[in-house]
Amino acid sequence: WNLIPVIPEANSSKSNNLPAIQYFKEFVSIQHLGLTISFNKLGEKAWRNYAESFISDLRMSTEDLLSLDRLENAYLTTVQPLMTLAKNQGFSSNWIYKSLR
């Protein structure tokens, strides 16, 4: 359930908890930014290879990956059931990072 690299303090705080939904839009925005930058920097073949796991896991076309709205919808329909499954298996949900600074 660790999908995003974060600072060590946040990772320790999160432990085995599921993040609150408030982090979802920013997560998708960061993924979209990475996909868009890589699309603009890589050649078509290299980008398709790079994006293959997104295409497969999110069941999307390469063109849809570049649409923020479609990407958000795909993540929602893919991740939400997994979060529910994890919660049903005993993972705590709605974790929010509280910085000590």
Side-chain angles (χ1 to χ4, degrees):
W1 305 105
N2 284 323
L3 299 175
I4 302 174
V6 296
I7 60 172
E9 293 83 8
N11 194 43
S12 293
S13 171
K14 181 185 163 296
S15 187
N16 288 328
N17 300 307
L18 301 168
I21 195 70
Q22 73 186 52
Y23 298 113
F24 182 75
K25 281 193 179 275
E26 188 172 353
F27 166 74
V28 174
S29 293
I30 291 169
Q31 295 297 309
H32 182 258
L33 179 62
L35 287 164
T36 302
I37 290 171
S38 64
F39 176 78
N40 291 324
K41 297 291 183 186
L42 300 173
E44 184 177 342
K45 184 177 180 182
W47 189 79
R48 286 184 182 275
N49 287 338
Y50 169 77
E52 186 60 40
S53 64
F54 291 91
I55 294 165
S56 174
D57 294 345
L58 297 173
R59 296 175 290 262
M60 299 182 74
S61 69
T62 53
E63 296 79 23
D64 286 345
L65 285 177
L66 299 175
S67 165
L68 180 57
D69 290 336
R70 291 181 190 143
L71 186 64
E72 183 176 334
N73 187 52
Y75 265 114
L76 189 60
T77 59
T78 302
V79 172
Q80 196 64 40
L82 295 173
M83 298 277 284
T84 299
L85 178 62
K87 186 175 177 183
N88 290 343
Q89 291 178 347
F91 286 84
S92 297
S93 60
N94 296 316
W95 170 84
I96 296 174
Y97 178 61
K98 294 176 178 82
S99 175
L100 299 176
R101 296 177 199 212

